[in-house]
């Protein structure tokens, strides 16, 4: 970003604050005055374009935030190499031969932040809450029974669950104290076992403040207080880090990252992620025509997008599952790779023509083609790839109208199917295994599959994945399912981000991981 542009943005920010509102693409954002101390406590301030809609971990995907903010933990944890280990449970969990009965031993020294002891009964009640009051639990597994005896928890499942420890690492299964009044959990936050406790959460600005958990079970918590400040305006996030309003920022835009790379006052943590930036195509409307979907896909020059527009901070997309994992990126075949001449021919041959002379095609039945492309700006690549797709498709007479909203609104629209095209960043590997995310977004009946996509062959393969224990067989079946998605022109896989956390040199212990939901822990500290 050039200096002149930065100055202009700063003036606009100042004017907005004078009016009492700083807008981040529809979401009200309260500016942080400065990093340092608050209420006599040394305070770490983290800026992000991502926010919780609620702190109740069983609602939609909001469980990510109690984990990110250090409030909650899960029985198991995903490691950077995509392995799984115990977190609140000891390592050494086991199952019977057919993977329908799993036994976990809850660590004996753990307490909730209110001082209540964590035993197997408390874990059982927390997991039961997911299935009784949440909506996505059954997409992971269906428990027949859960039995608690001291620190031992036995989970019996309806079907074989060969990767149950992976699934229990998902933030949906954050362990919370259900023995307390949780009627205001959305705003007050859960009682968890993490190193921090929610002090406040503002549902309007999305600002969350956490303080040191004095009853933390795993050593001294090094930071007294953390403020998480939200804005979907990437320039505000970047400028706030430069000006001192933030000590650290999650996912700095590719347009600004070089500013911090060249400045010795900052350090950067980066990692390949399990994320894929996806353009979902709603087959319940005009995109029910596979020819139109194929033409759209063949107009996406993803290599150019990533090199020239995303400044090599993203890897060009091909498969549903990120190139950072071994799930077919180099071996599967993309039948709709970039081929603009063929895209034009497909449209011409199918009868898509500009009959009214406005420069855009109509359907063979004479209906105008104007595809509403929904996106949010909390992920910096989204506006760029949406506008790039719009420009590319305009060259072959396909009209696309970008439609921007805040993140939560886009998630709601995705769930309801209120779009033609929709851009979303999905961590397909959030359990160190892609099964559940694939089911959620592409399998018939998936909570967020509102595209109308329904392939019997694909569904059958994913059913087989669910009960298959052998890792190589699981991977092979998953690759077959991915190939079907490619053959069916089900979605646009734009790119895979290289995630980053940029922080001042006096900050330690902020994490950037493939899981993308372990931000802070007991070792997070301010050293000035």
């Amino acid at each position: 970003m050039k200096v002149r542009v930065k100055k202009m943005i700063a003036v606009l920010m100042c004017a907005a604050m004078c009016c009492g509102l700083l807008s981040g693409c529809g979401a009200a954002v309260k500016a942080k005055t400065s990093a340092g101390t608050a209420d006599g406590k040394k305070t770490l301030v983290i800026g992000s374009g991502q926010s919780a809609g609620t702190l109740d971990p069983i609602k939609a995907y909001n469980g990510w935030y109690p984990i990110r903010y250090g409030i909650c933990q899960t029985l198991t944890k995903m490691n950077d190499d995509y392995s799984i280990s115990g977190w609140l449970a000891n390592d050494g969990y086991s199952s019977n031969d057919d993977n329908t009965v799993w036994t976990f031993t809850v660590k004996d020294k753990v307490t909730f932040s209110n001082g209540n002891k964590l035993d197997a009964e408390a874990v059982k009640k927390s997991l039961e809450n997911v299935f009784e009051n949440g909506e996505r639990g059954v997409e992971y597994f269906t428990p027949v029974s859960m039995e608690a005896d001291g620190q031992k928890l036995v989970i019996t499942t309806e079907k074989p669950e060969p990767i149950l420890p992976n699934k229990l690492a998902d933030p949906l299964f954050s362990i919370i104290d259900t023995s307390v009044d949780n009627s205001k959990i959305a705003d007050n936050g859960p009682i968890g076992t993490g190193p921090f406790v929610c002090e406040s959460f503002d549902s309007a600005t999305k600002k969350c403040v956490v303080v040191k958990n004095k009853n933390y079970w795993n050593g001294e918590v090094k930071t007294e207080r953390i403020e998480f400040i939200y804005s979907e305006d990437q320039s505000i996030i970047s400028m706030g880090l430069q000006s001192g309003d933030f000590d650290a920022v999650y996912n700095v835009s590719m347009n600004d990252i070089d500013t911090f790379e060249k400045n010795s006052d900052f350090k950067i943590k980066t990692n390949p992620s399990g994320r894929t930036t996806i353009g979902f195509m709603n087959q319940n409307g005009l995109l029910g025509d596979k020819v139109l979907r194929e033409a759209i896909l063949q107009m996406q020059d993803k290599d150019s997008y990533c090199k020239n527009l995303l400044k090599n901070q993203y890897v060009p997309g091909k498969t549903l599952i990120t190139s950072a994992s071994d799930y077919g990126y180099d071996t599967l075949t993309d039948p709709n790779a970039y081929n603009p001449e063929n895209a034009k021919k497909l449209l011409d041959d199918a009868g898509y023509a500009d009959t009214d002379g406005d420069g855009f095609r109509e359907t063979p039945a004479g209906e105008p083609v104007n595809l509403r492309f929904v996106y949010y700006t909390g992920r910096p690549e989204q506006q760029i790839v949406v506008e790039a797709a719009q420009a590319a498709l305009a060259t072959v007479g396909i009209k696309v109208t970008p439609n921007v909203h805040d993140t939560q609104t886009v998630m709601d629209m995705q769930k309801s199917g209120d779009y033609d095209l929709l851009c979303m960043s999905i961590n397909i590997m959030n359990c160190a295994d892609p099964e559940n995310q694939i089911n959620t977004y592409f399998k018939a009946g998936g909570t967020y599959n509102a595209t109308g996509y329904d392939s019997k062959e694909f569904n059958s393969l994913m059913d087989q994945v669910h009960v298959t224990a052998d890792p190589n067989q699981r991977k092979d079946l998953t690759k077959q399912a991915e190939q079907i998605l490619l053959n069916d022109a089900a979605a646009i896989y734009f790119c895979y981000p290289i995630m980053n956390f940029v922080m001042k040199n006096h900050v330690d212990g902020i994490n950037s991981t493939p899981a993308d939901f372990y931000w802070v822990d007991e070792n997070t500290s301010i050293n000035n």
Side-chain angles (χ1 to χ4, degrees):
M1 185 180 293
K2 295 181 179 180
V3 173
R4 185 175 299 172
V5 176
K6 288 182 178 179
K7 287 182 177 178
M8 184 179 297
I9 293 173
V11 170
L12 292 172
M13 286 173 62
C14 182
M17 289 192 296
C18 289
C19 295
L21 178 67
L22 193 61
S23 174
C25 294
V29 180
K30 195 176 292 183
K32 176 70 181 70
T33 54
S34 65
T37 60
D39 299 328
K41 297 177 180 177
K42 186 178 286 189
T43 298
L44 174 68
V45 184
I46 298 176
S48 172
Q50 302 292 298
S51 71
T54 165
L55 290 181
D56 187 345
I58 70 171
K59 302 300 183 185
Y61 279 86
N62 289 287
W64 285 56
Y65 296 94
I67 297 284
R68 283 175 164 177
Y69 299 166
I71 300 169
C72 287
Q73 297 167 321
T74 46
L75 275 181
T76 54
K77 186 175 185 178
M78 175 178 158
N79 302 311
D80 289 355
D81 63 355
Y82 292 107
S83 64
I84 296 292
S85 59
W87 199 3
L88 295 178
N90 291 321
D91 289 330
Y93 36 79
S94 60
S95 72
N96 63 349
D97 290 342
D98 67 357
N99 297 304
T100 58
V101 181
W102 280 88
T103 301
F104 298 87
T105 302
V106 179
K107 290 179 177 177
D108 195 39
K109 64 177 181 177
V110 182
T111 62
F112 289 107
S113 59
N114 59 6
N116 290 346
K117 179 177 172 56
L118 181 73
D119 57 16
E121 183 65 25
V123 172
K124 172 188 171 184
K125 294 295 185 184
S126 182
L127 296 178
E128 287 175 341
N129 179 55
V130 175
F131 293 96
E132 292 171 3
N133 299 306
E135 59 181 14
R136 293 193 299 118
V138 293
E139 291 184 353
Y140 288 75
F141 67 99
T142 301
V144 173
S145 67
M146 286 189 264
E147 300 175 7
D149 181 10
Q151 299 303 114
K152 186 172 78 171
L153 176 70
V154 178
I155 301 175
T156 301
T157 59
E158 183 176 86
K159 296 178 181 178
E161 294 291 346
I163 63 162
L164 186 61
N166 295 64
K167 296 177 179 182
L168 291 174
D170 189 285
L172 177 65
F173 298 104
S174 295
I175 302 303
I176 67 173
D177 189 349
T178 61
S179 70
V180 300
D181 179 7
N182 279 309
S183 60
K184 296 182 179 179
I185 189 174
D187 295 325
N188 294 346
I191 301 298
T193 59
F196 297 98
V197 178
C198 179
E199 179 181 85
S200 64
F201 174 69
D202 188 320
S203 59
T205 66
K206 312 300 184 185
K207 175 181 175 180
C208 184
V209 179
V210 299
V211 295
K212 177 178 180 178
N213 173 8
K214 296 179 180 178
N215 292 314
Y216 188 55
W217 60 276
N218 198 30
E220 180 65 20
V221 180
K222 296 179 180 179
T223 296
E224 295 178 305
R225 191 172 185 272
I226 305 177
E227 294 185 4
F228 296 92
I229 308 295
Y230 160 71
S231 171
E232 290 206 7
D233 188 322
Q234 295 297 321
S235 62
I236 290 176
I237 292 290
S238 176
M239 290 179 65
L241 185 57
Q242 294 179 68
S243 68
D245 283 347
F246 302 135
D247 296 297
V249 162
Y250 167 71
N251 206 23
V252 167
S253 167
M254 76 295 299
N255 294 318
D256 299 323
I257 193 71
D258 64 333
T259 300
F260 300 102
E261 289 175 336
K262 298 172 183 176
N263 191 330
S264 60
D265 291 334
F266 298 91
K267 55 188 176 183
I268 304 172
K269 286 188 176 181
T270 62
N271 64 276
S273 75
R275 287 192 171 277
T276 304
T277 300
I278 303 173
F280 289 90
M281 296 195 276
N282 192 341
Q283 298 182 25
N284 294 304
L286 295 178
L287 293 174
D289 183 357
K290 185 180 179 183
V291 170
L292 181 55
R293 299 198 306 275
E294 290 174 332
I296 289 171
L297 285 166
Q298 291 179 29
M299 288 304 301
Q300 307 309 311
D301 189 355
K302 301 168 190 175
D303 288 340
S304 177
Y305 295 172
C306 289
K307 179 180 179 180
N308 300 317
L309 302 178
L310 300 176
K311 302 184 178 181
N312 291 319
Q313 296 296 313
Y314 295 74
V315 176
K318 172 186 171 182
T319 51
L320 170 61
I321 305 174
T322 173
S323 59
S325 59
D326 182 22
Y327 278 89
Y329 180 79
D330 295 321
T331 58
L332 297 179
T333 301
D334 182 2
N336 292 300
Y338 182 57
N339 190 341
E341 290 303 317
N342 193 62
K344 183 178 183 299
K345 183 177 186 301
L346 283 172
L347 294 168
D348 290 342
D349 292 349
Y352 287 87
D354 178 15
T355 58
D356 60 8
D358 68 349
F360 293 103
R361 300 177 189 251
E362 286 76 49
T363 68
E367 182 181 356
V369 177
N370 184 2
L371 302 173
R372 185 166 54 107
F373 205 152
V374 173
Y375 72 98
Y376 59 98
T377 57
R379 295 279 176 189
E381 78 278 9
Q382 300 227 355
Q383 182 173 352
I384 290 173
V385 298
V386 167
E387 291 181 352
Q390 177 193 27
L393 289 167
T395 66
V396 289
I398 297 299
K399 187 174 184 179
V400 171
T401 301
N403 189 198
V404 62
H405 297 277
D406 65 89
T407 305
Q408 189 59 52
T409 299
V410 173
M411 290 186 69
D412 293 341
M413 294 171 79
Q414 180 171 26
K415 190 174 181 181
S416 68
D418 183 16
Y419 61 90
D420 296 307
L421 293 150
L422 183 144
C423 195
M424 181 65 70
S425 175
I426 307 295
N427 190 342
I428 301 297
M429 294 293 292
N430 73 318
C431 292
D433 185 280
E435 176 197 334
N436 283 95
Q437 293 290 68
I438 293 176
N439 289 343
T440 295
Y441 291 95
F442 291 97
K443 191 178 179 187
T447 300
Y448 284 84
N449 179 11
T451 64
Y453 180 72
D454 186 0
S455 162
K456 290 183 179 179
E457 185 180 5
F458 173 84
N459 295 339
S460 176
L461 282 168
M462 293 311 300
D463 285 340
Q464 293 177 61
V465 171
H466 186 97
V467 298
T468 299
D470 181 83
N472 292 326
Q473 290 181 19
R474 288 180 64 83
K475 191 168 291 186
D476 182 62
L477 290 167
T478 302
K479 289 178 183 179
Q480 292 179 50
E482 281 188 280
Q483 187 63 61
I484 291 171
L485 292 175
L486 288 167
N487 295 344
D488 290 345
I492 309 168
Y493 310 127
F494 282 113
C495 55
Y496 318 113
I498 299 171
M499 304 305 299
N500 67 68
F501 238 117
V502 182
M503 65 204 81
K504 295 178 180 177
N505 282 331
H506 65 254
V507 177
D508 284 322
I510 288 181
N511 306 305
S512 181
T513 70
D516 201 20
F517 39 73
Y518 307 122
W519 285 4
V520 299
D521 58 27
E522 61 272 18
N523 295 312
T524 302
S525 62
I526 314 169
N527 300 312
N528 66 348

